[in-house]
Short mmCIF file of all heavy atoms in Angstrom, two decimals:
data_model
loop_
_atom_site.label_atom_id
_atom_site.label_comp_id
_atom_site.label_asym_id
_atom_site.label_seq_id
_atom_site.Cartn_x
_atom_site.Cartn_y
_atom_site.Cartn_z
N ALA A 12 12.85 91.47 46.06
CA ALA A 12 12.92 92.52 47.01
C ALA A 12 12.17 92.22 48.29
O ALA A 12 12.63 92.58 49.39
CB ALA A 12 12.37 93.77 46.39
N ASN A 13 10.94 91.55 48.19
CA ASN A 13 10.28 91.32 49.39
C ASN A 13 11.01 90.27 50.32
O ASN A 13 11.00 90.30 51.44
CB ASN A 13 8.87 90.75 49.01
CG ASN A 13 7.77 91.80 49.16
OD1 ASN A 13 7.94 92.93 48.68
ND2 ASN A 13 6.76 91.50 49.77
N LEU A 14 11.64 89.36 49.55
CA LEU A 14 12.44 88.34 50.40
C LEU A 14 13.67 89.09 51.06
O LEU A 14 13.95 88.75 52.16
CB LEU A 14 12.99 87.26 49.44
CG LEU A 14 13.90 86.23 50.07
CD1 LEU A 14 13.07 85.42 51.19
CD2 LEU A 14 14.43 85.11 49.01
N ALA A 15 14.16 89.94 50.41
CA ALA A 15 15.38 90.72 51.00
C ALA A 15 14.91 91.43 52.24
O ALA A 15 15.64 91.47 53.36
CB ALA A 15 15.87 91.72 49.96
N ILE A 16 13.63 92.09 52.17
CA ILE A 16 13.15 92.66 53.32
C ILE A 16 12.99 91.76 54.48
O ILE A 16 13.33 92.04 55.65
CB ILE A 16 11.95 93.46 53.02
CG1 ILE A 16 12.09 94.66 52.12
CG2 ILE A 16 11.03 93.85 54.29
CD1 ILE A 16 12.83 95.72 52.71
N MET A 17 12.26 90.63 54.24
CA MET A 17 11.97 89.65 55.22
C MET A 17 13.25 89.15 55.80
O MET A 17 13.42 88.99 57.12
CB MET A 17 11.23 88.46 54.64
CG MET A 17 10.79 87.43 55.62
SD MET A 17 10.09 85.97 54.82
CE MET A 17 11.54 85.10 54.31
N MET A 18 14.22 88.84 54.97
CA MET A 18 15.51 88.31 55.59
C MET A 18 16.26 89.39 56.36
O MET A 18 17.11 89.04 57.26
CB MET A 18 16.38 87.65 54.48
CG MET A 18 15.74 86.40 53.83
SD MET A 18 15.34 85.13 55.00
CE MET A 18 16.95 84.77 55.81
N SER A 19 16.17 90.53 55.92
CA SER A 19 16.88 91.62 56.74
C SER A 19 16.29 91.68 58.24
O SER A 19 17.06 91.94 59.06
CB SER A 19 16.65 92.98 56.08
OG SER A 19 15.35 93.61 56.29
N GLY A 20 14.99 91.27 58.27
CA GLY A 20 14.47 91.32 59.67
C GLY A 20 14.90 90.14 60.46
O GLY A 20 15.34 90.16 61.52
N PHE A 21 14.92 88.87 59.80
CA PHE A 21 15.41 87.69 60.52
C PHE A 21 16.82 87.86 60.90
O PHE A 21 17.26 87.54 61.96
CB PHE A 21 15.27 86.57 59.52
CG PHE A 21 13.83 85.79 59.62
CD1 PHE A 21 13.03 85.62 58.50
CD2 PHE A 21 13.40 85.41 60.79
CE1 PHE A 21 11.94 85.12 58.57
CE2 PHE A 21 12.12 84.65 60.85
CZ PHE A 21 11.49 84.59 59.60
N CYS A 22 17.68 88.42 59.87
CA CYS A 22 19.07 88.57 60.19
C CYS A 22 19.40 89.68 61.31
O CYS A 22 20.32 89.44 61.97
CB CYS A 22 19.83 88.84 58.88
SG CYS A 22 19.78 87.48 57.65
N THR A 23 18.56 90.56 61.34
CA THR A 23 18.80 91.63 62.33
C THR A 23 18.60 91.05 63.78
O THR A 23 19.30 91.27 64.73
CB THR A 23 17.91 92.82 62.08
OG1 THR A 23 18.21 93.55 60.91
CG2 THR A 23 17.97 93.85 63.31
N ILE A 24 17.50 90.30 63.86
CA ILE A 24 17.24 89.59 65.07
C ILE A 24 18.31 88.56 65.52
O ILE A 24 18.75 88.41 66.64
CB ILE A 24 15.81 88.89 65.12
CG1 ILE A 24 14.75 89.85 64.85
CG2 ILE A 24 15.58 88.10 66.29
CD1 ILE A 24 13.34 89.40 64.54
N LEU A 25 18.73 87.84 64.52
CA LEU A 25 19.79 86.89 64.62
C LEU A 25 21.13 87.51 65.14
O LEU A 25 21.84 87.07 66.07
CB LEU A 25 20.11 86.05 63.32
CG LEU A 25 21.31 85.06 63.34
CD1 LEU A 25 21.11 83.93 64.28
CD2 LEU A 25 21.64 84.66 61.99
N PHE A 26 21.41 88.70 64.57
CA PHE A 26 22.54 89.44 64.96
C PHE A 26 22.41 89.88 66.50
O PHE A 26 23.40 89.96 67.15
CB PHE A 26 22.69 90.73 63.99
CG PHE A 26 23.94 91.54 64.20
CD1 PHE A 26 25.10 91.30 63.64
CD2 PHE A 26 23.85 92.63 65.12
CE1 PHE A 26 26.24 92.09 63.83
CE2 PHE A 26 24.93 93.43 65.40
CZ PHE A 26 26.15 93.21 64.78
N PHE A 27 21.23 90.35 66.78
CA PHE A 27 20.99 90.80 68.16
C PHE A 27 21.18 89.66 69.11
O PHE A 27 21.85 89.75 70.15
CB PHE A 27 19.51 91.22 68.25
CG PHE A 27 19.04 91.43 69.71
CD1 PHE A 27 19.17 92.58 70.27
CD2 PHE A 27 18.38 90.43 70.40
CE1 PHE A 27 18.77 92.88 71.58
CE2 PHE A 27 17.87 90.63 71.69
CZ PHE A 27 18.11 91.77 72.29
N VAL A 28 20.79 88.44 68.81
CA VAL A 28 21.07 87.30 69.73
C VAL A 28 22.53 86.90 69.76
O VAL A 28 23.03 86.66 70.68
CB VAL A 28 20.14 86.11 69.17
CG1 VAL A 28 20.50 84.75 69.92
CG2 VAL A 28 18.60 86.43 69.31
N MET A 29 23.17 86.84 68.59
CA MET A 29 24.51 86.39 68.55
C MET A 29 25.48 87.38 69.10
O MET A 29 26.58 87.02 69.56
CB MET A 29 25.00 86.06 67.10
CG MET A 29 24.23 84.86 66.46
SD MET A 29 24.87 84.40 64.84
CE MET A 29 26.46 83.76 65.31
N THR A 30 25.10 88.73 69.18
CA THR A 30 26.02 89.66 69.85
C THR A 30 25.67 89.86 71.29
O THR A 30 26.16 90.83 71.90
CB THR A 30 26.06 90.93 69.02
OG1 THR A 30 24.70 91.47 68.90
CG2 THR A 30 26.63 90.73 67.64
N GLY A 31 24.72 89.13 71.78
CA GLY A 31 24.21 89.35 73.14
C GLY A 31 23.50 90.63 73.39
O GLY A 31 23.31 91.19 74.49
N GLY A 32 22.96 91.22 72.32
CA GLY A 32 22.09 92.45 72.45
C GLY A 32 22.88 93.69 72.85
O GLY A 32 22.38 94.57 73.46
N ARG A 33 24.25 93.58 72.48
CA ARG A 33 25.19 94.67 73.06
C ARG A 33 25.52 95.53 71.91
O ARG A 33 26.28 96.61 72.09
CB ARG A 33 26.41 94.04 73.70
CG ARG A 33 26.08 93.20 74.89
CD ARG A 33 27.20 92.47 75.53
NE ARG A 33 26.82 91.58 76.56
CZ ARG A 33 26.60 91.95 77.87
NH1 ARG A 33 26.76 93.15 78.20
NH2 ARG A 33 26.30 91.09 78.75
N VAL A 34 25.26 95.24 70.65
CA VAL A 34 25.66 96.10 69.46
C VAL A 34 24.45 96.59 68.71
O VAL A 34 23.76 95.81 68.10
CB VAL A 34 26.58 95.39 68.54
CG1 VAL A 34 27.05 96.20 67.38
CG2 VAL A 34 27.71 94.77 69.14
N PRO A 35 24.10 97.90 68.73
CA PRO A 35 22.94 98.45 68.10
C PRO A 35 23.17 98.46 66.58
O PRO A 35 23.92 99.44 66.19
CB PRO A 35 22.67 99.77 68.74
CG PRO A 35 24.04 100.12 69.15
CD PRO A 35 24.77 98.91 69.59
N SER A 36 22.65 97.57 65.86
CA SER A 36 22.85 97.56 64.43
C SER A 36 21.70 96.88 63.72
O SER A 36 20.97 95.95 64.16
CB SER A 36 24.18 96.81 64.01
OG SER A 36 25.33 97.50 64.31
N TYR A 37 21.37 97.36 62.46
CA TYR A 37 20.37 96.71 61.65
C TYR A 37 21.13 96.12 60.44
O TYR A 37 22.10 96.76 59.85
CB TYR A 37 19.39 97.81 61.11
CG TYR A 37 18.28 97.16 60.42
CD1 TYR A 37 17.14 96.89 61.12
CD2 TYR A 37 18.26 96.71 59.13
CE1 TYR A 37 15.99 96.23 60.56
CE2 TYR A 37 17.31 96.13 58.41
CZ TYR A 37 16.14 95.84 59.22
OH TYR A 37 15.02 95.13 58.66
N LEU A 38 20.77 94.92 59.98
CA LEU A 38 21.37 94.26 58.92
C LEU A 38 20.52 94.39 57.62
O LEU A 38 19.34 94.03 57.75
CB LEU A 38 21.74 92.78 59.28
CG LEU A 38 22.59 92.38 60.33
CD1 LEU A 38 23.01 90.97 60.29
CD2 LEU A 38 23.85 93.24 60.35
N GLY A 39 21.09 94.83 56.58
CA GLY A 39 20.31 94.97 55.31
C GLY A 39 21.18 94.50 54.17
O GLY A 39 22.35 94.19 54.35
N SER A 40 20.57 94.59 52.99
CA SER A 40 21.28 94.23 51.73
C SER A 40 22.58 95.00 51.52
O SER A 40 22.59 96.18 51.52
CB SER A 40 20.30 94.40 50.54
OG SER A 40 19.11 93.73 50.74
N SER A 41 23.62 94.38 51.29
CA SER A 41 24.88 95.00 51.05
C SER A 41 25.14 95.32 49.54
O SER A 41 24.91 94.50 48.72
CB SER A 41 26.06 94.09 51.51
OG SER A 41 27.38 94.63 51.15
N PHE A 42 25.51 96.58 49.32
CA PHE A 42 25.83 97.05 47.99
C PHE A 42 27.22 96.55 47.55
O PHE A 42 27.52 96.54 46.21
CB PHE A 42 25.87 98.61 47.89
CG PHE A 42 24.53 99.16 47.81
CD1 PHE A 42 23.56 99.20 48.94
CD2 PHE A 42 24.04 99.77 46.60
CE1 PHE A 42 22.33 99.70 48.81
CE2 PHE A 42 22.69 100.30 46.61
CZ PHE A 42 21.96 100.39 47.62
N ALA A 43 28.01 95.93 48.39
CA ALA A 43 29.37 95.50 48.01
C ALA A 43 29.21 94.32 47.10
O ALA A 43 30.09 93.94 46.47
CB ALA A 43 30.18 95.14 49.37
N PHE A 44 28.02 93.67 47.14
CA PHE A 44 27.89 92.51 46.29
C PHE A 44 27.46 92.80 44.88
O PHE A 44 27.56 91.80 43.93
CB PHE A 44 26.84 91.52 46.88
CG PHE A 44 27.39 90.85 48.10
CD1 PHE A 44 26.99 91.31 49.42
CD2 PHE A 44 28.17 89.65 48.14
CE1 PHE A 44 27.52 90.69 50.57
CE2 PHE A 44 28.58 89.01 49.23
CZ PHE A 44 28.22 89.58 50.49
N ILE A 45 26.93 93.97 44.64
CA ILE A 45 26.41 94.29 43.26
C ILE A 45 27.33 93.97 42.13
O ILE A 45 26.94 93.33 41.15
CB ILE A 45 25.94 95.77 43.23
CG1 ILE A 45 24.80 95.93 44.24
CG2 ILE A 45 25.41 96.06 41.82
CD1 ILE A 45 24.24 97.27 44.38
N GLY A 46 28.53 94.56 42.17
CA GLY A 46 29.55 94.42 41.14
C GLY A 46 29.99 92.84 40.82
O GLY A 46 29.96 92.55 39.79
N VAL A 47 30.23 92.27 41.96
CA VAL A 47 30.71 90.75 41.92
C VAL A 47 29.64 89.93 41.44
O VAL A 47 29.87 88.94 40.68
CB VAL A 47 31.34 90.39 43.13
CG1 VAL A 47 32.72 91.04 43.41
CG2 VAL A 47 30.43 90.45 44.33
N VAL A 48 28.36 90.14 41.84
CA VAL A 48 27.30 89.28 41.37
C VAL A 48 27.06 89.47 39.83
O VAL A 48 26.72 88.52 39.18
CB VAL A 48 25.98 89.72 42.21
CG1 VAL A 48 24.73 89.07 41.57
CG2 VAL A 48 26.00 89.12 43.61
N ALA A 49 27.15 90.77 39.43
CA ALA A 49 27.01 91.02 37.99
C ALA A 49 28.13 90.23 37.25
O ALA A 49 27.90 89.67 36.21
CB ALA A 49 27.01 92.49 37.74
N ALA A 50 29.33 90.35 37.81
CA ALA A 50 30.45 89.61 37.08
C ALA A 50 30.25 88.10 37.16
O ALA A 50 30.61 87.46 36.12
CB ALA A 50 31.80 90.04 37.77
N ALA A 51 29.86 87.56 38.27
CA ALA A 51 29.75 86.10 38.31
C ALA A 51 28.54 85.48 37.65
O ALA A 51 28.66 84.30 37.19
CB ALA A 51 29.56 85.75 39.79
N THR A 52 27.46 86.32 37.36
CA THR A 52 26.35 85.81 36.69
C THR A 52 25.97 86.40 35.30
O THR A 52 25.17 86.01 34.63
CB THR A 52 25.08 86.13 37.60
OG1 THR A 52 25.01 87.54 37.73
CG2 THR A 52 25.20 85.50 39.04
N ALA A 53 26.94 87.22 34.91
CA ALA A 53 26.78 87.91 33.62
C ALA A 53 25.41 88.56 33.34
O ALA A 53 24.83 88.57 32.48
CB ALA A 53 27.02 87.03 32.54
N HIS A 54 25.00 89.26 34.51
CA HIS A 54 23.64 89.79 34.65
C HIS A 54 23.78 91.31 34.61
O HIS A 54 24.55 91.87 35.45
CB HIS A 54 22.93 89.32 35.94
CG HIS A 54 21.54 89.99 36.09
ND1 HIS A 54 20.53 89.88 35.29
CD2 HIS A 54 21.20 90.97 37.08
CE1 HIS A 54 19.48 90.59 35.75
NE2 HIS A 54 19.98 91.40 36.82
#
């Protein structure tokens, strides 16, 4: 979880740079991956 928090910060700043600071958005952990990760890893 701590790594997810740290990477959300890095990725938000990266998103800001790559979109030229024109799209107000925060990047965080996506729930869309939960089901497929469980299926792919049998976790």
Side-chain angles (χ1 to χ4, degrees):
N13 261 47
L14 179 60
I16 290 293
M17 185 189 76
M18 290 310 299
S19 78
F21 275 123
C22 290
T23 296
I24 296 170
L25 175 66
F26 183 89
F27 169 87
V28 173
M29 293 187 68
T30 58
R33 299 177 187 276
V34 182
S36 287
Y37 191 95
L38 298 193
S40 304
S41 173
F42 279 74
F44 289 96
I45 294 175
V47 293
V48 165
T52 62
H54 173 72

